[in-house]
């Protein structure tokens, strides 16, 4: 076991929260996750246990059955679940985007109808923003929502790489409702759409990532959405989504940090036990130093992740820190997974040792939910004041 970090600033409640999550995940763990990921089976039992513990709704208002805590606690949840070897990608949208956006911008009726569902063991809401032709440019979204004379909306267009549609009952969809004449940018709005809505086509996109959650290409062909499903102000969609996008980056970072802890723990145990030249391999600095470097990168990423979450919880501007946290955590996870494989030698690639399958998820977080290049653009422009290139 990696020695407890002296850096953590956890109070008693947070220590208990970490223990409670670890206890919930332990009966499942890495083998359960890997087997489900390899067979493409959803992790229903783990999800239900995590919901029962109140963890997927820890950051939602108490009056709707949530935990009344903040994003910092949700980051702890995502980190600890992944530390237990079972990272839940869907939580990064279900708990970090969809719930908080409805809590913040939903009508009283929407909050009362939807938020209690976060306590149902089989309820999930996925999130759809990415489009085949818009890429990282959210201003260029073209999935169109047009309001009908009776107030309902009709959606036409497509979305790509949407995770967990098959497991979810509903989806928060970002759609274009017009164009701002002054800026020429798309006016966006958010809709809650049933995943079995008439006119919604889903085709599975196979990927090389070993993940229980599947990704889908979605086609919206005259999908009718009741007026009651519009969330927040039409036209303010982008601002409203940012209420969820920074948390998505922060919980994505937390998930990476958990992966890093999980594999580093395995690597350290192995380096202490494996003897090839009369001493444990961890005695060789060629093995020990890269693990020490991995630990430093991990703890730096964790510090930035919790700093970003604190800023968000304090209603400060969390954009810069959230981007830096996701960038640092994805790089740290790549290094930790790679070094854990290297420490195990050939065993690092054996299924039995439960490390190599996590590479794909760690690698994904360099690309999604926002790519490292778009983060560098943000930092160059907003933190350093350099000109925008695009
Ligand atoms: C497994 C998986 C799960 C996903 N789940 C979801 C989901 O649940 N919901 C959802 O909405 N989306 C989801 N996505 C989509 C994901 O968020 C996008 O793939 C990601 O944001 C990158 O967008 P893109 O693929 O369109 O890349 P593009 O925008 O086409 O970019 C391609 C490359 O060009 C670079 N690039 C683009 N513009 C610039 C620029 N201005 N400067 C420098 N470099 C640039 C990018 O950094 C990237 O390296 C998922 C993707 C995957 C692979």
């Amino acid at each position: 076991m990696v020695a407890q970090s002296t850096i953590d600033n956890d109070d008693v409640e947070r220590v208990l929260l970490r223990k409670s999550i670890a206890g919930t995940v332990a009966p499942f763990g890495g083998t359960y996750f890997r087997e489900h990921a390899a067979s493409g089976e959803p992790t229903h039992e783990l999800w239900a246990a995590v919901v029962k513990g109140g963890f997927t709704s820890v950051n939602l208002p108490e009056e709707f059955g949530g935990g009344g805590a903040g994003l910092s606690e949700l980051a702890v949840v995502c980190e600890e679940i992944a530390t237990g070897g079972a990272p839940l990608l869907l939580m990064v949208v279900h708990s970090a985007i969809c719930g908080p956006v409805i809590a913040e911008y939903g009508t009283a009726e929407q909050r009362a109808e939807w938020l209690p569902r976060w306590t149902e063991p089989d309820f999930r809401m996925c999130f759809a923003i990415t489009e085949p032709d818009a890429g990282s440019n959210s201003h260029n979204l073209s999935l169109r929502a047009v309001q009908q004379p009776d107030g309902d909306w009709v959606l036409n267009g497509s979305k790509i790489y949407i995770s967990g549609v098959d497991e979810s009952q509903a989806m928060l969809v970002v759609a274009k409702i017009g164009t701002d004449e002054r800026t020429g940018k798309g006016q966006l709005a958010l809709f809650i759409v049933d995943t079995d809505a008439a006119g919604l086509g889903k085709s599975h996109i196979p990927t090389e990532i070993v993940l229980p959650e599947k990704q889908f290409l979605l086609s919206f062909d005259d999908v009718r959405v009741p007026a009651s499903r519009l969330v927040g102000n039409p036209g303010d969609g982008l601002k409203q989504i940012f209420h969820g996008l920074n948390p998505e980056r922060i919980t994505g970072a937390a998930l990476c940090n958990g992966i890093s802890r999980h594999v580093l723990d395995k690597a350290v145990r192995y380096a202490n036990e494996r003897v090839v030249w009369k001493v444990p391999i961890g005695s060789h600095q060629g093995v020990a130093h890269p693990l020490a470097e991995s630990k430093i990168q991990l703890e730096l990423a964790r510090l930035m992740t919790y700093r970003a979450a604190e800023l968000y919880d304090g209603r400060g501007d969390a954009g810069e820190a959230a981007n830096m946290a996701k960038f640092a955590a994805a790089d740290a996870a790549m290094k930790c997974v790679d070094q854990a494989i290297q420490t195990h030698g050939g065993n690092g690639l054996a299924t039995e040792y439960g490390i190599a399958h996590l590479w794909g998820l760690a690698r994904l977080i360099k690309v999604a939910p926002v790519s490292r290049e778009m983060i560098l653009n943000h930092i160059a422009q907003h933190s350093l004041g350099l000109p925008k290139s695009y």
Side-chain angles (χ1 to χ4, degrees), residues 74-76 78-80 82-83 249-259 305-306 329:
L74 184 65
V76 168
C78 292
E79 180 185 329
E80 291 302 323
T83 301
R249 287 166 199 185
I250 293 166
T251 49
L255 180 143
C256 273
N257 294 337
I259 292 175
T305 305
Y306 286 113

Side-chain angles (χ1 to χ4, degrees), residues 93-146:
V93 292
H94 170 85
S95 301
I97 302 185
C98 303
V101 165
I102 294 171
E104 181 76 14
Y105 297 107
T107 59
E109 291 75 21
Q110 285 170 339
R111 286 155 58 95
E113 178 184 353
W114 290 100
L115 296 181
R117 302 203 64 186
W118 260 251
T119 61
E120 293 174 12
D122 53 2
F123 177 74
R124 294 163 181 77
M125 191 179 282
C126 57
F127 176 67
I129 182 168
T130 308
E131 293 185 4
D133 297 327
S136 306
N137 184 359
S138 309
H139 300 294
N140 211 21
L141 295 182
S142 61
L143 184 140
R144 189 73 203 216
V146 177

Side-chain angles (χ1 to χ4, degrees), residues 127 129-130 135-136 161-163 215 364 367 369 371 373 377 390:
F127 176 67
I129 182 168
T130 308
S136 306
Y161 289 118
I162 309 308
S163 297
Q215 280 67 47
L364 168 68
V367 173
S371 71
E373 291 76 19
N377 284 336
Y390 53 99

Side-chain angles (χ1 to χ4, degrees), residues 16-36:
L16 290 176
L17 177 63
R18 286 192 194 278
K19 278 198 182 143
S20 167
I21 302 158
T24 301
V25 179
F28 302 93
T31 306
Y32 167 91
F33 177 84
R34 181 175 44 70
E35 286 173 358
H36 280 69

Side-chain angles (χ1 to χ4, degrees), residues 76-275:
V76 168
V77 170
C78 292
E79 180 185 329
E80 291 302 323
I81 295 174
T83 301
L88 287 176
L89 181 66
L90 207 51
M91 271 191 71
V92 166
V93 292
H94 170 85
S95 301
I97 302 185
C98 303
V101 165
I102 294 171
E104 181 76 14
Y105 297 107
T107 59
E109 291 75 21
Q110 285 170 339
R111 286 155 58 95
E113 178 184 353
W114 290 100
L115 296 181
R117 302 203 64 186
W118 260 251
T119 61
E120 293 174 12
D122 53 2
F123 177 74
R124 294 163 181 77
M125 191 179 282
C126 57
F127 176 67
I129 182 168
T130 308
E131 293 185 4
D133 297 327
S136 306
N137 184 359
S138 309
H139 300 294
N140 211 21
L141 295 182
S142 61
L143 184 140
R144 189 73 203 216
V146 177
Q147 194 160 28
Q148 307 301 300
D150 64 1
D152 287 357
W153 296 80
V154 170
L155 273 55
N156 279 289
S158 54
K159 295 283 178 190
I160 194 165
Y161 289 118
I162 309 308
S163 297
V165 182
D166 55 334
E167 298 178 52
S168 303
Q169 288 72 31
M171 165 169 53
L172 190 64
V173 177
V174 187
K176 179 177 176 176
I177 55 168
T179 305
D180 185 318
E181 282 178 12
R182 197 176 48 83
T183 62
K185 290 178 177 169
Q187 291 172 318
L188 306 179
L190 301 174
F191 297 91
I192 300 170
V193 178
D194 294 331
T195 51
D196 62 357
L200 180 66
K202 307 159 204 157
S203 55
H204 174 218
I205 309 170
T207 72
E208 297 297 325
I209 309 168
V210 187
L211 257 189
E213 292 89 352
K214 298 186 185 74
Q215 280 67 47
F216 293 85
L217 172 65
L218 303 179
S219 59
F220 292 71
D221 188 6
D222 283 338
V223 173
R224 185 169 270 271
V225 180
S228 62
R229 296 292 190 87
L230 168 74
V231 179
N233 289 328
D236 276 350
L238 200 59
K239 186 182 124 214
Q240 292 163 185
I241 307 158
F242 266 95
H243 190 74
L245 292 188
N246 283 329
E248 184 187 32
R249 287 166 199 185
I250 293 166
T251 49
L255 180 143
C256 273
N257 294 337
I259 292 175
S260 296
R261 283 175 58 199
H262 181 72
V263 297
L264 201 53
D265 193 26
K266 281 179 182 263
V268 168
R269 207 175 321 134
Y270 194 81
N272 273 316
E273 288 167 3
R274 173 81 167 161
V275 176

